[in-house]
Amino acid sequence: ASDVYKRQVWAWRPGRAKQLAAWIDHLITLFPFEPPLFEAHGLPATWVGHPVVEEETVVNHAQAFRRTHDIGDDAPIVVVLPGSRKAEVKALMPIFGETIKQLWATFPATHFIVPTIGAVEAPVTAWAQSLSAPVHVVAGNDMRDRAFAAASVGLAASGTVTLELARAGVPHVIAYKVNPLSAFAFKRLAKTKFVNLINVLLGQDIVPEYLQGDCKPDVLALKVGTLLTDVSARQTQKSAFTAALDHLRRGETSPSANAAKVVLGLIESP
């Protein structure tokens, strides 16, 4: 099942798990808490681990990235991720733009890196160029990973990118805003206390979440600014990242190898 579909199952009411059980013989899951949710509806499921824990982390390109973008070795870098879908980017760009302006006014040596992808690259680039701040747009997974390696802290739309930031050891703040109807539906139906995957995995409020009415530039600027100046706050998140990512590993075997083993077992079974 797609990542979006799985989130709908464990974050919302379980009716979708029952629907999925009618279509699929066996489900491979990324998160350890998922199999019981599906097995309760008669769908066998095996947790294999999340691919984020076996992806290579770019660790040796921070200085090269800074030189490429003419950023001094001691200058703070905030990586800003307004999303990958047009609707979320449209909703978050004005808020993130004002946040960047406020942060730059308080921390004038700061540079801002905005990784983006093809589907939203044009509007994101135009938005970044309109800001009176040192904002650098980079495209593609490789450049995004290099930006993460160089980043001091991050500001991101809610999503699986939080796992990638955690893997790179980048303390961050999560923000999200949707239309009022969607927000009302989530509030009524959601079964999770948190939306951020690090917080969900640990059952703790580790990565700050600012959603809907709380998703305001002054609030976000204050919290990101705290991460820039507070070593202890950054270290608390980094320690939690290690614990959360450990929850996504199943033994010494890689998630892809675990998944292959499950598939081969199903093929070979009578």
Side-chain angles (χ1 to χ4, degrees), residues 4-265:
V4 171
Y5 204 103
K6 290 195 295 295
R7 288 202 304 272
Q8 290 174 333
V9 169
W10 58 258
W12 300 74
R13 301 298 181 186
R16 294 184 182 273
K18 186 181 295 184
Q19 294 174 353
L20 198 58
W23 307 333
I24 294 176
D25 296 316
H26 197 102
L27 187 67
I28 293 173
T29 77
L30 306 184
F31 298 102
F33 49 77
E34 292 177 309
L37 302 177
F38 295 101
E39 290 167 348
H41 295 279
L43 174 57
T46 303
W47 169 55
V48 299
H50 198 290
V52 74
V53 300
E54 65 178 291
E55 294 171 359
E56 183 180 356
T57 301
V58 176
V59 295
N60 297 320
H61 299 288
Q63 288 187 333
F65 184 90
R66 285 175 177 270
R67 286 195 296 271
T68 298
H69 296 279
D70 195 24
I71 301 173
D73 291 343
D74 297 326
I77 293 178
V78 178
V79 62
V80 180
L81 299 119
S84 58
R85 295 188 291 272
K86 292 180 180 179
E88 64 186 4
V89 165
K90 182 179 180 180
L92 289 174
M93 280 193 303
I95 298 169
F96 282 13
E98 184 58 34
T99 302
I100 287 172
K101 292 178 183 178
Q102 292 187 24
L103 283 167
W104 191 44
T106 306
F107 306 98
T110 302
H111 287 252
F112 302 87
I113 307 296
V114 183
T116 189
I117 59 174
V120 294
E121 183 175 352
V124 167
T125 300
W127 161 74
Q129 291 174 345
S130 73
L131 300 174
S132 55
V135 181
H136 314 265
V137 177
V138 298
N141 290 340
D142 181 64
M143 291 305 296
R144 178 203 60 194
D145 291 346
R146 290 169 185 262
F148 287 3
S152 309
V153 302
L155 171 64
S158 179
T160 53
V161 70
T162 192
L163 298 179
E164 295 167 350
L165 288 167
R167 177 169 54 89
V170 182
H172 56 282
V173 173
I174 289 296
Y176 211 69
K177 193 166 189 175
V178 296
N179 67 67
L181 184 60
S182 296
F184 176 77
F186 182 84
K187 187 174 181 180
R188 287 289 303 275
L189 299 176
K191 301 182 69 179
T192 61
K193 182 178 180 181
F194 305 110
V195 301
N196 179 274
L197 287 168
I198 297 297
N199 296 342
V200 170
L201 286 164
L202 298 178
Q204 299 179 55
D205 187 9
I206 299 296
V207 176
E209 302 177 359
Y210 295 102
L211 316 175
Q212 293 306 105
D214 294 327
C215 183
K216 300 176 181 179
D218 55 338
V219 174
L220 299 177
L222 178 63
K223 198 61 182 182
V224 173
T226 297
L227 286 179
L228 282 172
T229 57
D230 189 336
V231 175
S232 177
R234 294 197 301 273
Q235 189 54 52
T236 295
Q237 281 204 28
K238 290 182 179 183
S239 297
F241 295 160
T242 300
L245 294 176
D246 282 344
H247 282 297
L248 299 180
R249 294 183 175 89
R250 182 164 187 173
E252 298 298 323
T253 310
S254 68
S256 55
N258 289 334
K261 184 177 180 180
V262 173
V263 172
L264 289 173

